[in-house]
Amino acid sequence: MKFRVLAAAVGMPVVIGLAGCGSSGGAGDAGGDTIDVVASTNVYGDIARQVGAGHVHVTSILSDPNVDPHGYDSSAKTAVDVAKAKLVVDNGLGYDDFMQDLLKGAPGGDRSVVTAANVLGVQGKDANPHLWYDTAQMPKVANAIRDALSKIDPKHSSDYAAGAKAFAQGMKPVDDTVRTIRDEYAGTKVAYTERVAGYLIDEAGLKLGIPAGFTTAVEEGDDPSPADTVAFDKALTTRAVKSLLYNGQVTDKQTDQLRSLATKSGVPVVAVTETMPTDARDYQSWQLAQAKALLAALKGSK
C-alpha cells in the first residue's frame, strides 16, 4: 500500500490520500523533559513508547483502524509535530512515503530518523511492506530506536536499553504461538486478500493456496484477473485452504464476497489490521491476539 501526499508544508493543511491503509491519532505521555517522537503509524509509535521508558512524547500520525483508510485528512499540526520532533520512526518501502514529504517540508539538522526497512535490510519494489508482521524481527527495530534515543539523550541510555530489552522479552508469547503453528501446521495452505500478515504466514511455515496475482492486484488498486478470482473462489469452496485472512481495515464488495464465501464453505476467517486497534494494550498483545486467532482457525478447520 502507498500513501500519497497531496499537500505538505509547515503552516499548510496536509491532505494525505491512502490506498489501502491507515488512520490518525497520537500516543504517549507528554510533560516534563521529554523527547518528541513522531511515528508514521501507531505500531511504531507504541514500540517507541515502550523503548522510551517514560522519557518520550510520541505522536502517531496513523492509528485508528475504525476510520476509513482510503482517505486521511491531517492539519498543519502534523507538519509542526514533525518539525519539532527529535526522532522520527517510519516504515519505508513506499508504505509511508508521506513521511519523506513531511521531513522535506520541515528540515531539521539534529533530527534522527529510524526507518524499519533500512534496519531490517528489506529492499525491492516487490517486497512486502508490512514489516511489523515480521514479529521476530521487531526487536531489531526496537534496538535501533534505543540507539537513536541514547544518542539524543545519553543520560537516560540505560533506561532505553532496559526498555528495548523489556520489549523483546514481551515478544516471547508471540514467538511461542507462531512456533506452535509452525510445529503443528507447517505446509498448510491458507488464503489472504492482501499481504498484510504475509510475514506471519511465512514465519509460521504456512503456504499461500491462492494465486499471488490476486493479492498484488488488490494492493495496487486493480481488479484481479477473472482467472485468479475463479481460482480463489475454488480454493474456498473446495476447502483447499484452511483459513482466510482478510484486511478488516480495508474492505470492498469483492473482499466481502470472499469472506462470505469462506464462511459458507466452512473455511475459518481471521481478520487482521494494518494499524494497532485502539483497545490494544500494546504491540505485543495485538500481535499475540492475531496469532492466537490464526491458530484457533487452523485447529477449527476441517
Side-chain angles (χ1 to χ4, degrees), residues 144-215:
I145 294 173
R146 172 202 64 196
D147 294 343
L149 289 174
S150 295
K151 184 176 180 180
I152 296 168
D153 178 28
K155 68 179 180 180
H156 292 125
S157 59
S158 60
D159 291 340
Y160 302 136
K165 182 177 180 180
F167 174 82
Q169 292 174 336
M171 292 301 301
K172 186 177 185 304
V174 182
D175 296 339
D176 290 345
T177 302
V178 174
R179 186 178 302 110
T180 296
I181 296 174
R182 185 170 62 248
D183 290 346
E184 297 182 10
Y185 298 100
T188 299
K189 292 182 179 180
V190 298
Y192 49 63
T193 56
E194 296 181 48
R195 294 182 298 169
V196 176
Y199 289 106
L200 170 61
I201 297 305
D202 292 342
E203 181 64 23
L206 304 175
K207 302 297 182 182
L208 184 62
I210 54 98
F214 184 98
T215 62

Side-chain angles (χ1 to χ4, degrees), residues 191 243-248 267-272 289-291 293-298:
S243 180
L244 169 66
L245 292 87
Y246 77 98
N247 187 346
V267 176
V269 176
V270 177
V272 296
Q290 295 186 129
L294 177 57
L295 177 58
L298 293 170

Side-chain angles (χ1 to χ4, degrees), residues 18-238:
L18 285 68
C21 17
S23 45
S24 67
D29 299 319
D33 185 20
T34 58
I35 298 173
D36 287 319
V37 179
V38 172
S40 61
T41 75
N42 66 347
V43 177
Y44 295 116
D46 185 71
I47 297 175
R49 175 191 63 79
Q50 293 186 54
V51 177
H55 302 300
V56 297
H57 170 226
V58 181
T59 298
S60 297
I61 297 177
L62 305 169
S63 62
D64 186 357
N66 296 313
V67 173
D68 182 359
H70 291 283
Y72 171 75
D73 293 328
S74 181
S75 67
K77 182 181 182 300
T78 304
V80 172
D81 287 337
V82 172
K84 71 178 184 179
K86 292 296 183 181
L87 173 63
V88 169
V89 185
D90 63 2
N91 184 79
L93 289 177
Y95 185 88
D96 45 13
D97 278 346
F98 67 88
M99 290 301 299
Q100 298 305 312
D101 293 271
L102 289 170
L103 288 168
K104 291 177 182 177
D110 60 348
R111 180 174 52 224
S112 297
V113 179
V114 171
T115 299
N118 294 340
V119 173
L120 302 181
V122 180
Q123 301 176 350
K125 65 178 182 178
D126 295 326
N128 185 345
H130 305 92
L131 296 172
W132 55 98
Y133 271 88
D134 193 353
T135 54
Q137 300 299 313
M138 282 303 102
K140 294 181 180 179
V141 176
N143 288 344
I145 294 173
R146 172 202 64 196
D147 294 343
L149 289 174
S150 295
K151 184 176 180 180
I152 296 168
D153 178 28
K155 68 179 180 180
H156 292 125
S157 59
S158 60
D159 291 340
Y160 302 136
K165 182 177 180 180
F167 174 82
Q169 292 174 336
M171 292 301 301
K172 186 177 185 304
V174 182
D175 296 339
D176 290 345
T177 302
V178 174
R179 186 178 302 110
T180 296
I181 296 174
R182 185 170 62 248
D183 290 346
E184 297 182 10
Y185 298 100
T188 299
K189 292 182 179 180
V190 298
Y192 49 63
T193 56
E194 296 181 48
R195 294 182 298 169
V196 176
Y199 289 106
L200 170 61
I201 297 305
D202 292 342
E203 181 64 23
L206 304 175
K207 302 297 182 182
L208 184 62
I210 54 98
F214 184 98
T215 62
T216 300
V218 170
E219 290 183 11
E220 293 179 352
D222 299 326
D223 292 329
S225 70
D228 285 349
T229 300
V230 170
F232 202 139
D233 290 351
K234 183 177 180 181
L236 294 175
T237 56
T238 62

